Amino acid sequence: MNRPVFRRQGILFVISAPSGTGKTTLCENLRATPDFIYSVSCTTRPPRAGEVNDVDYHFLTKDDFLSRVENGAMLEYALVHGNYYGTLKSTVKEALAQGTDVLLDIDVQGATTIRKTDDPMVRDSLVDVFIMPPTQEELEKRLRKRGTETEEQVQQRLRTGREESKLWPLYKYTILSGSMEEDLIKFRAIMRAERYLSRRLVINDASPASESP
Ligand code: 5GP
């Protein structure tokens, strides 16, 4: 028998975590690898210093954002800390159809919307991961160290974070956050296992595509 060649649909990795957990840095590290495409979200939040339009976010006016929602262009969207954030459906679905894995950094409301999707491709490809802050004190420390929020915003993010942390049992995987290296190792373990799930694989006799899923 010839050595089998597998192909598979892409996996939609959704990461949620309270603000300040280190999720953005984790996603930046993952983005630097060829393992996924990172879905750049749309937002009505103004850019922070150093943030680049179409790289960190698609920065939109509220009208532009809401007209995209109206047109059905968003896979999910949510109001987070007073601003709209949303994921473009086209980016995600095109990548999944091509067998490319997609990484989404979205809040717990967005993850809940995606879990309820009636789109079979999105539903079958979803792997949601919650990053749990080790303690509230550590979260507060990390949030302050970042220095990008006012005191009022810090307090709002801590309150939201406490509520968000209660939702971890809804996620397929939960990582208790440690150092950035530890979080990366844990996430990569999940990623590898998910890629070898038999139910995702199809034997591809026709194409000499990649041998490893
Ligand atoms: P930040 O303003 O700190 O970049 O992000 C604030 C929150 O919005 C984070 O929890 C982040 O995961 C979330 N977020 C970013 N993009 C999206 C998105 O496309 N959809 C949803 N629902 N949340 C998002």
Side-chain angles (χ1 to χ4, degrees), residues 15-20 23-24 27 38-43 45-46 48 51 56-57 59 65 74 76-81 83-88 104-111 113-114 143 146 148-149 157 160 164:
I15 301 189
S16 303
S19 183
K23 175 188 50 164
T24 306
C27 289
Y38 176 80
S39 164
V40 177
S41 293
C42 299
T43 185
R45 157 169 91 57
R48 295 189 186 121
E51 282 184 331
D56 297 291
Y57 282 104
F59 293 101
F65 188 99
M74 298 291 183
E76 63 72 35
Y77 74 99
L79 192 60
V80 187
H81 311 130
N83 292 297
Y84 285 107
Y85 294 80
T87 306
L88 289 173
L104 288 189
D105 163 359
I106 61 174
D107 87 314
V108 292
Q109 305 172 73
T113 306
I114 291 185
L143 209 49
R146 194 161 85 172
T148 48
E149 276 82 23
R157 283 175 186 241
T160 311
E164 289 176 335

Side-chain angles (χ1 to χ4, degrees), residues 28 31 41 51 74-75 89 102 119 133 141 164 170 189 202 206:
E28 274 166 10
R31 269 174 97 166
S41 293
E51 282 184 331
M74 298 291 183
L75 181 63
K89 201 183 281 176
V102 180
D119 182 320
K141 208 168 90 190
E164 289 176 335
L170 299 179
V202 178

Side-chain angles (χ1 to χ4, degrees), residues 185-203:
I185 288 168
K186 289 174 191 169
F187 184 84
R188 289 218 171 95
I190 294 170
M191 185 188 84
R192 294 220 173 84
E194 286 289 339
R195 286 181 173 171
Y196 292 108
L197 271 189
S198 305
R199 74 163 171 84
R200 295 194 197 285
L201 305 179
V202 178
I203 297 261

